[in-house]
């Protein structure tokens, strides 16, 4: 990758900020037929394979979050991206969701509460299960799942998606 020059001022903007996600979709990486990144940091569009659906994730009381951290591997820098979510279903359906999360590779699309920016995680490297924890005596007995950039990879890129990508995901989601 060529050196990217910083060509914008780093300013506060006076809008403040709120925390949390307004919405989250997971897409099985294998179900992503194509995507177009129009610049180094903007995802213009995606296309799912025929019949594939985006998986909506409930963001109730911050039950889902996204985090980024620097990762370096052999002198190359990237981002370790982490998505943490809560599986609220304790039935066999919930167990099936957990099993699918354990063996899958995902791309996450997270709409932020403060202004609706859409962060993308795992577009290039995918996200894989890093931990899955539950305790019948704590946190409602729900299971927390952490998906992150695979080990031994350089990491992924910080990318935001255009609103059209979110509209596409909403039109092609599981119901």
């Amino acid at each position: 990758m060529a050196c990217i020059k910083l060509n914008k001022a780093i300013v506060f903007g006076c809008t403040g900020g709120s925390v949390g996600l307004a919405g989250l979709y997971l897409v099985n990486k294998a179900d992503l037929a194509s995507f177009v990144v129009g610049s180094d940091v903007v995802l213009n569009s995606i296309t799912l394979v025929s019949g594939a659906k985006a998986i909506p994730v409930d963001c109730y009381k911050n039950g889902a979050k996204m985090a980024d951290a620097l990762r370096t591997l052999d002198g190359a820098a990237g981002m370790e991206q982490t998505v943490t979510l809560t599986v609220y279903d304790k039935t066999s359906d919930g167990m099936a969701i957990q099993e699918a999360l354990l063996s899958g590779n995902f791309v996450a699309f997270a709409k932020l509460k403060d202004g609706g920016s859409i962060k993308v995680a795992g577009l290039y490297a995918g996200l894989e299960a890093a931990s899955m924890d539950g305790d019948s005596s704590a946190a409602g007995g729900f299971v927390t799942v952490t998906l992150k950039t695979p080990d031994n990879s350089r990491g992924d890129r910080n990318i935001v998606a255009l609103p059209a990508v979110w509209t596409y995901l909403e039109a092609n989601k599981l119901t």
Side-chain angles (χ1 to χ4, degrees):
M1 180 186 313
C3 180
I4 298 172
K5 291 185 177 182
L6 189 59
N7 63 357
K8 302 239 185 236
I10 301 171
V11 298
F12 176 62
C14 298
T15 58
S18 63
V19 295
L21 301 180
L24 176 66
Y25 286 107
L26 294 178
V27 172
N28 287 298
K29 191 152 172 45
D31 289 343
L32 194 58
S34 65
F35 59 88
V36 176
V37 178
S39 72
D40 285 337
V41 296
V42 179
L43 177 64
N44 289 346
S45 65
I46 63 168
T47 305
L48 299 176
V49 298
S50 179
K53 299 289 184 184
I55 305 154
V57 177
D58 196 344
C59 297
Y60 177 72
K61 290 191 175 184
N62 293 325
K65 68 179 183 175
M66 184 180 284
D68 302 302
L70 178 66
R71 175 186 278 188
T72 58
L73 182 68
D74 296 332
M79 297 305 293
E80 178 173 293
Q81 298 172 320
T82 304
V83 173
T84 304
L85 57 98
T86 303
V87 178
Y88 296 104
D89 191 337
K90 300 177 193 176
T91 69
S92 60
D93 288 340
M95 299 306 118
I97 290 168
Q98 291 173 42
E99 283 299 311
L101 290 170
L102 279 173
S103 60
N105 189 290
F106 302 95
V107 180
F109 300 85
K111 184 181 256 187
L112 305 180
K113 283 185 180 177
D114 65 346
S117 293
I118 303 155
K119 290 188 69 165
V120 182
L123 186 63
Y124 293 100
L127 301 171
E128 298 176 346
S131 69
M132 185 175 292
D133 302 297
D135 184 339
S136 63
S137 298
F142 302 129
V143 173
T144 300
V145 180
T146 301
L147 305 172
K148 75 172 193 66
T149 305
D151 292 335
N152 299 319
S153 75
R154 176 184 81 88
D156 226 302
R157 294 172 56 194
N158 281 325
I159 295 177
V160 293
L162 294 177
V165 172
W166 192 262
T167 302
Y168 179 83
L169 292 167
E170 286 185 325
N172 292 284
K173 69 181 178 182
L174 289 173
T175 54

